[in-house]
Amino acid sequence: MESASEVLHEPLVPFAILLAVILTVPPLFEKLRLPGLVGLLAAGVILGPNGLNLLHNKLPTMRLLSDIGLVYLMFVAGLEVDMAQFRRTKHRSAGFGFLTFIVPLIFGTIVGRIFNFGWNAAILIGSLFASHTLLAYPIVSRLGVVGNEAVIVTIGATIFTDIGALLVLAVCIGIHAGNFTLFKLFTLLGMLLVYSAIILFGFDWAGREFFRRSGDNEGNQFLFVLMAVFLAALGAQLIGVEKIVGAFLAGLAVNDAVGEGPVKEKVVFVGSVLFIPIFFVDMGLLIDIPAFVKSIASIWLTLAVVVGLIGSKFLAALFAKFIYRYNWQEMLTMWSLSLPQVAATLAATLVGYRAGLLSEALLNSVIVLMLVTATLGPLITSRVAPGLSVPETNLEPDPNGTDGGEEQKSSSFTVVVPVYNPRTQRYLIEMAALLARHEQGRIVPLSVTTAHAHMDAPHLEVALQRGEALLTKATELSRELGIEAEPLLRIDDNIAQGISRASREQNASLIVMGWGQRTGFRARLFGNVIDNVLWTSHCPVALTRLLKSPTQIQRILVPIENLTPEAVRPVRFAQILAQANPQVTLLHVWVSEAVPDSALRNTTTTRRAWTESQLALLASKWAPQSNFEIQIVPHEDIVRAILNASQSTDLIILRSKRRRTAGGLAISDLTTQLVQQLNCSLVMLGEPQRALTGIPTERLPNKVFPTIG
């Protein structure tokens, strides 16, 4: 039996401590309205050599996990770049990317020289200024203004700034290593060019081929992506540059192959809940509190770094405004989006510090810079982005029925209802019956049994008998409700795949499923049945959590964030349920009332009135016979506003949105917060993957409907 002292020296101990920190600290700081990454940095300080002395960055376990987190952070930064948006505005993205790279590079170099850094270190400091992290992307996405050209250009510019900053880092580190002649410099640049081409084009081709050949094998696809990132990182080191350069290029390379599917969800999940938080804890271990206080006390370096970065990013956005003739709101949005310094900046700073090229005082200044810009950037975005204009979009049904709006009626409108839980089965069938009766269609109750190697296995026979009993009950319920039912019993390797495949075979128009809470680490990592159905289905999925019979619902609430084509589907769904004349409320939470400038306040008032008129038009267009009410509620907290409105509601209808990340750190999703706190019945409408990926604007009909910011 090992003694306690021997156990405490096991490599598993630091890992266990890190897991406890990641599990408890970020949620605590988020409740205090502070970023979770600030909590991870603070935990590193407290647990490090200058605190409780429980963790050390020189421990083999800590160094390995931190290096993986560093590589993963840059990989996710490349993976999150929207290549489709970048291609649409690549020339202007390149122009703004050059401006927001070269101007901060010059400012940072000047700051470095003023504080007596050598030319090599000063240029490296400039490269730290040049990159940016799109922390505020979830804000512009939620506001529905991602389609604004200035926003797309800023997103595309991320590619140029991050690649440029990492290349400058590679050259500076190479020069610092010594014996660096002009010939070696050109040799390194040549190898970088060849290496970048191999990664960007070779890995892109390999990824597409592997994903095509591997079909639905998500496990192998997940392993391929991990292999790609670490091979790229090792390849970068072989040619003499930092591994984070290869990781970022690998993210760009496999971007198209991975797409927005479940593999990306798993890749990002693993990084955001495990490795990337460990990297931030390790950054906290590097902070020497006395030295940090001393460097902050001599505030001039920190002030120069913060002011220099903010001013240079503002100047770059101002140049772009005049060159591309953007308005002031677009210019301020570009500035705020390019302001946060997290992913590439922290990664490059750590590399420069470990190489001895950057001082501890500068490391501390960059940490302050990260905290200031990570707070200031999203704050400014939330104030100025609501007033952005976007290209006019369409709320008419797409000819193929894929971009929202009314479903195409056919001679066989089909609602597939997977049945599993006898306690919730009746409400599901009643919901499906309401929908199918309105569309003069049919219900397909579906029971899926997991396949076994031996078709005569006793437990398979029991499962089939249980499925037949559920289907018999579903058929009886359908008969009571006066709707045609065609029960289907299926044996499949996977429950979710069985539901998706059966729905495709039946040419389903909608899948109605019971709500299943996601629980456990395995469910979060590999996805539960609902997640997988959402990713693989060809048609919309209605996830229901019904506390009463759908026939007894009297008040329905439909929150609408912005009037995009996707906003029509919840309205249509509510209109169908409103056939028994319940009250339907369309709720829009207005979050831009705190704009200080009087001109912007006037614009806000005008847009608010316009928003109300468009919501009324939406209700009259898609539900002219229904009892609809329009509410526009000013509130700083969208979740709280919807929860307040739901207190007098029987049912709330939401759109299910996939969770996005910024810089590899998970961004809390409004839908997730609502689901956890709602006390009424709930329907979440999940769009099929083809709708999530967007439809080219040239496919939309000519009749337009402006999108609300």
Side-chain angles (χ1 to χ4, degrees):
M1 181 176 178
E2 296 185 29
S3 64
S5 60
E6 290 175 331
V7 171
L8 291 177
H9 284 86
E10 285 288 326
L12 289 178
V13 173
F15 187 64
I17 295 174
L18 288 169
L19 290 180
V21 168
I22 295 169
L23 182 65
T24 59
V25 172
L28 178 62
F29 271 68
E30 287 169 1
K31 286 184 178 179
L32 300 174
R33 296 188 177 275
L34 293 171
L37 63 88
V38 176
L40 296 172
L41 288 170
V45 173
I46 295 172
L47 298 174
N50 299 290
L52 300 177
N53 203 27
L54 294 177
L55 295 175
H56 297 270
N57 61 335
K58 293 183 180 179
L59 290 173
T61 303
M62 195 71 212
R63 189 64 180 261
L64 172 64
L65 295 175
S66 177
D67 281 349
I68 294 175
L70 177 63
V71 169
Y72 224 110
L73 178 67
M74 292 310 302
F75 172 68
V76 170
L79 197 63
E80 289 287 348
V81 174
D82 192 325
M83 298 301 291
Q85 287 183 338
F86 165 70
R87 292 186 184 102
R88 289 200 294 269
T89 58
K90 56 186 175 184
H91 298 298
R92 292 197 170 191
S93 292
F96 179 62
F98 175 77
L99 289 172
T100 198
F101 174 82
I102 197 66
V103 176
L105 178 69
I106 294 172
F107 269 64
T109 303
I110 293 173
V111 168
R113 292 298 295 161
I114 290 175
F115 287 89
N116 299 318
F117 286 90
W119 276 105
N120 194 31
I123 293 174
L124 178 57
I125 294 171
S127 74
L128 302 181
F129 282 29
S131 62
H132 62 261
T133 303
L134 293 170
L135 277 185
Y137 180 89
I139 296 175
V140 293
S141 176
R142 175 176 57 79
L143 293 172
V145 296
V146 175
N148 181 275
E149 183 184 290
V151 175
I152 297 175
V153 164
T154 308
I155 294 171
T158 308
I159 298 177
F160 296 98
T161 58
D162 285 3
I163 289 180
L166 293 176
L167 292 180
V168 172
L169 170 70
V171 173
C172 290
I173 294 296
I175 293 174
H176 180 70
N179 299 320
F180 206 77
T181 64
L182 192 61
F183 173 76
K184 290 185 177 180
L185 173 61
F186 283 109
T187 302
L188 176 61
L189 291 176
M191 288 193 297
L192 266 174
L193 185 62
V194 174
Y195 166 79
S196 299
I198 293 174
I199 297 297
L200 290 175
F201 297 105
F203 277 35
D204 179 47
W205 173 83
R208 291 174 184 273
E209 282 296 307
F210 186 86
F211 272 62
R212 182 177 63 84
R213 294 176 183 274
S214 58
D216 295 329
N217 194 329
E218 294 176 10
N220 284 345
Q221 291 170 354
F222 176 80
L223 292 175
F224 173 84
V225 172
L226 290 187
M227 183 185 70
V229 60
F230 288 107
L231 280 180
L234 292 174
Q237 288 187 304
L238 285 176
I239 67 169
V241 299
E242 280 300 319
K243 49 184 172 285
I244 59 176
V245 178
F248 182 75
L249 292 176
L252 294 178
V254 302
N255 197 308
D256 283 330
V258 173
E260 292 292 332
V263 175
K264 178 178 179 179
E265 178 94 346
K266 293 173 176 61
V267 169
V268 173
F269 169 77
V270 169
S272 62
V273 303
L274 185 60
F275 295 117
I276 295 174
I278 290 175
F279 165 73
F280 281 100
V281 174
D282 185 59
M283 288 291 295
L285 298 179
L286 295 174
I287 300 176
D288 184 342
I289 292 296
F292 185 78
V293 173
K294 184 179 178 181
S295 66
I296 300 303
S298 57
I299 199 170
W300 298 114
L301 175 61
T302 303
L303 190 63
V305 168
V306 174
V307 174
L309 182 281
I310 294 175
S312 61
K313 290 292 185 182
F314 182 88
L315 194 59
L318 187 63
F319 288 154
K321 174 194 182 305
F322 292 123
I323 294 173
Y324 300 126
R325 299 183 180 181
Y326 295 135
N327 60 40
W328 282 103
Q329 247 174 332
E330 290 171 329
M331 174 263 172
L332 291 174
T333 303
M334 295 175 75
W335 173 50
S336 63
L337 285 174
S338 62
L339 199 56
Q341 305 292 301
V342 180
T345 304
L346 277 183
T349 303
L350 181 60
V351 170
Y353 176 74
R354 286 177 175 176
L357 192 54
L358 302 178
S359 65
E360 187 175 9
L362 185 70
L363 172 67
N364 294 332
S365 298
V366 170
I367 291 175
V368 174
L369 174 70
M370 179 204 70
L371 297 177
V372 171
T373 57
T375 303
L376 185 62
L379 180 63
I380 296 173
T381 302
S382 66
R383 292 293 185 264
V384 300
L388 290 179
S389 61
V390 294
E392 292 182 330
T393 55
N394 176 58
L395 290 186
E396 294 289 335
D398 180 75
N400 298 314
T402 59
D403 65 330
E406 186 178 9
E407 295 291 335
Q408 283 188 310
K409 289 187 179 182
S410 66
S411 58
S412 182
F413 182 88
T414 302
V415 182
V416 169
V417 187
V419 292
Y420 180 79
N421 187 347
R423 292 178 297 177
T424 61
Q425 182 176 347
R426 182 178 187 89
Y427 289 171
L428 285 178
I429 296 296
E430 287 181 358
M431 174 70 75
L434 286 173
L435 299 169
R437 185 183 298 114
H438 181 273
E439 301 296 320
Q440 299 177 351
R442 64 189 178 120
I443 299 176
V444 178
L446 171 66
S447 177
V448 181
T449 301
T450 306
H452 193 274
H454 303 287
M455 288 294 105
D456 59 349
H459 71 271
L460 178 61
E461 183 64 29
V462 172
L464 289 173
Q465 291 176 1
R466 181 179 182 277
E468 289 173 349
L470 289 170
L471 292 177
T472 300
K473 179 64 175 177
T475 304
E476 293 173 355
L477 289 173
S478 301
R479 191 176 297 117
E480 289 179 18
L481 298 168
I483 196 73
E484 177 188 358
E486 300 178 11
L488 177 62
L489 180 64
R490 184 186 182 97
I491 300 175
D492 209 297
D493 295 329
N494 178 279
I495 299 293
Q497 291 290 346
I499 295 172
S500 298
R501 290 165 180 165
S503 300
R504 175 73 272 188
E505 292 165 359
Q506 295 293 321
N507 195 26
S509 308
L510 178 71
I511 301 173
V512 175
M513 297 182 64
W515 172 255
Q517 293 283 3
R518 171 184 288 189
T519 58
F521 182 83
R522 186 180 184 278
R524 294 181 67 193
L525 179 57
F526 296 105
N528 57 21
V529 172
I530 287 178
D531 290 326
N532 289 326
V533 171
L534 280 172
W535 283 119
T536 57
S537 68
H538 76 288
C539 63
V541 182
L543 309 177
T544 66
R545 188 182 68 190
L546 299 173
L547 305 183
K548 62 171 62 176
S549 169
T551 59
Q552 299 175 354
I553 292 172
Q554 296 299 317
R555 294 158 298 181
I556 301 175
L557 178 67
V558 185
I560 296 182
E561 289 181 311
N562 42 76
L563 287 179
T564 60
E566 293 80 9
V568 173
R569 199 183 302 277
V571 177
R572 280 288 290 139
F573 198 93
Q575 185 264 336
I576 294 174
L577 297 181
Q579 295 304 302
N581 292 319
Q583 174 73 40
V584 179
T585 300
L586 300 185
L587 174 68
H588 179 74
V589 182
W590 193 264
V591 293
S592 60
E593 297 297 319
V595 179
D597 185 81
S598 59
L600 290 180
R601 280 202 302 270
N602 293 335
T603 301
T604 298
T605 302
T606 302
R607 289 188 62 81
R608 180 176 177 179
W610 182 83
T611 299
E612 187 169 2
S613 68
Q614 296 305 299
L615 286 173
L617 180 61
L618 174 67
S620 63
K621 180 178 180 60
W622 292 104
Q625 307 301 323
S626 302
N627 185 17
F628 271 74
E629 177 188 358
I630 308 298
Q631 285 189 13
I632 297 183
V633 179
H635 207 289
E636 294 182 357
D637 188 338
I638 295 178
V639 173
R640 180 50 52 191
I642 296 176
L643 288 174
N644 292 340
S646 71
Q647 297 301 314
S648 58
T649 296
D650 298 318
L651 173 70
I652 185 169
I653 302 176
L654 302 171
R655 284 182 57 226
S656 176
K657 297 183 180 180
R658 307 307 298 174
R659 183 177 62 184
R660 294 191 66 89
T661 64
L665 294 175
I667 301 299
S668 61
D669 181 42
L670 295 180
T671 302
T672 302
Q673 296 180 49
L674 283 169
V675 168
Q676 293 172 346
Q677 301 180 61
L678 283 172
N679 295 317
C680 61
S681 295
L682 167 71
V683 172
M684 288 204 304
L685 293 177
E687 303 294 335
Q689 190 60 28
R690 59 184 176 181
L692 289 172
T693 54
I695 298 171
T697 54
E698 59 267 18
R699 283 184 51 194
L700 297 177
N702 292 328
K703 191 171 182 181
V704 294
F705 202 116
T707 297
I708 291 178

